[in-house]
């Protein structure tokens, strides 16, 4: 199986690139942000809970997020592999994912981390906020909080995968196609060496 964690700060382009990668490598795309937004739209209990955190730019609690993600993996028993987009975002999430995948005799192949400077992230998110309808993209204070949360709680997840020799940084500025080619090069190199 090819299991990729697509990593990076808010607005780094994880969602944008994940859609292209799943097509090329025939993988299942699991975006925790998208699943939460679908629940918000459907006005489920999970959606109501998630919204109260997401609208402020905070993380949804680990146990809720982990259970939801595991249920989504279980819905796809025949998958060739997964792109985990926006998950794991904390060390407990990374530990839970490792344990869960190993119970299925598989593992994370690689973490690809999109590297984008803060000014560019803020510019992209505000631009998306003009028509995304996402409360967390509209306000510079909420965007600043998302970046702070990333630096304080999420950035360390890179160390978790670096310790397993699975971490690779990919420069995330340029055209969508240029960045996609950089990601594909890293994945193809990994496939050849496996
Ligand atoms: P996410 O939905 O994961 O959103 P994101 O960090 O904003 O997005 P991403 O990096 O995917 O950006 P995109 O490609 O869209 O999370 C939202 C919230 O959900 C979190 O704050 C949290 O509350 C909650 N959540 C999600 N997962 C969680 C977890 N595991 N645990 C707890 N809470 C969780 O790109 C952004 C913009 O840039 C787009 O408009 C795009 O068009 C543009 N763009 C992309 N590539 C570009 C390029 N190369 N050049 C110029 N613009 C580009």
């Amino acid at each position: 199986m090819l299991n990729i964690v697509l990593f990076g700060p808010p607005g780094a382009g994880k969602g944008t690139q994940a859609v292209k990668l799943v097509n090329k490598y025939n993988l299942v795309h699991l975006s925790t942000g998208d699943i939460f937004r679908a629940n918000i739209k459907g006005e489920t209990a999970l959606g109501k809970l998630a919204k109260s955190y997401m609208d402020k730019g905070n993380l949804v609690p680990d146990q809720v997020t982990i259970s939801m993600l595991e249920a989504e993996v279980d819905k796809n028993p025949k998958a060739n592999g997964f792109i985990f987009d926006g998950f794991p975002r904390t060390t407990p999430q990374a530990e839970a994912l490792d344990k869960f995948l190993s119970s299925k005799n598989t593992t994370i192949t690689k973490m690809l981390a999109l590297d984008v400077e803060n000014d560019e992230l803020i510019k992209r998110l505000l631009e998306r906020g003009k028509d995304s309808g996402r409360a967390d993209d509209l306000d510079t204070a909420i965007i600043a909080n998302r970046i702070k949360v990333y630096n304080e709680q999420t950035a360390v997840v890179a160390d978790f995968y670096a310790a397993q020799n699975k971490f690779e940084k990919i420069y995330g500025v340029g055209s969508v196609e240029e960045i996609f080619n950089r990601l594909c090069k890293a994945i193809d190199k990994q496939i050849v060496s496996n």
Side-chain angles (χ1 to χ4, degrees), residues 123-135:
K123 198 174 92 188
R124 288 183 189 179
L125 293 173
L126 286 172
E127 189 58 36
R128 182 171 67 186
K130 286 180 189 164
D131 49 29
S132 69
R134 279 179 58 171

Side-chain angles (χ1 to χ4, degrees), residues 10 13-16 32 37 54 58 60 86 89 93 128 146 174:
K14 302 180 291 287
T16 306
T32 38
R37 282 185 287 278
M54 289 170 76
N58 293 324
V60 179
R89 255 177 162 96
Q93 289 182 17
R128 182 171 67 186
R146 289 166 67 192

Side-chain angles (χ1 to χ4, degrees), residues 6-18 29 31-37 40 50-62 64-66 68-69 85-90 93 114 116 120-121 123-129 131-132 134 136-137 142 145-147 149-150 153-154 171-180 182:
L6 199 53
F7 191 69
K14 302 180 291 287
T16 306
Q17 295 295 335
H29 180 198
S31 158
T32 38
D34 285 352
I35 302 166
F36 286 135
R37 282 185 287 278
I40 292 172
K51 187 170 166 36
S52 66
Y53 292 92
M54 289 170 76
D55 281 358
K56 298 188 188 102
N58 293 324
L59 295 182
V60 179
D62 278 340
V64 177
T65 309
I66 291 165
M68 178 187 82
L69 190 279
D85 161 9
F87 185 95
R89 255 177 162 96
T90 63
Q93 289 182 17
L114 291 168
V116 178
E120 174 71 14
L121 297 174
K123 198 174 92 188
R124 288 183 189 179
L125 293 173
L126 286 172
E127 189 58 36
R128 182 171 67 186
D131 49 29
S132 69
R134 279 179 58 171
D136 60 345
D137 285 345
I142 296 171
N145 187 46
R146 289 166 67 192
I147 295 173
V149 167
Y150 173 81
Q153 298 179 48
T154 303
Y171 187 47
V173 179
S175 71
V176 168
E177 213 48 45
E178 279 165 349
I179 298 160
F180 178 61
R182 288 173 205 149

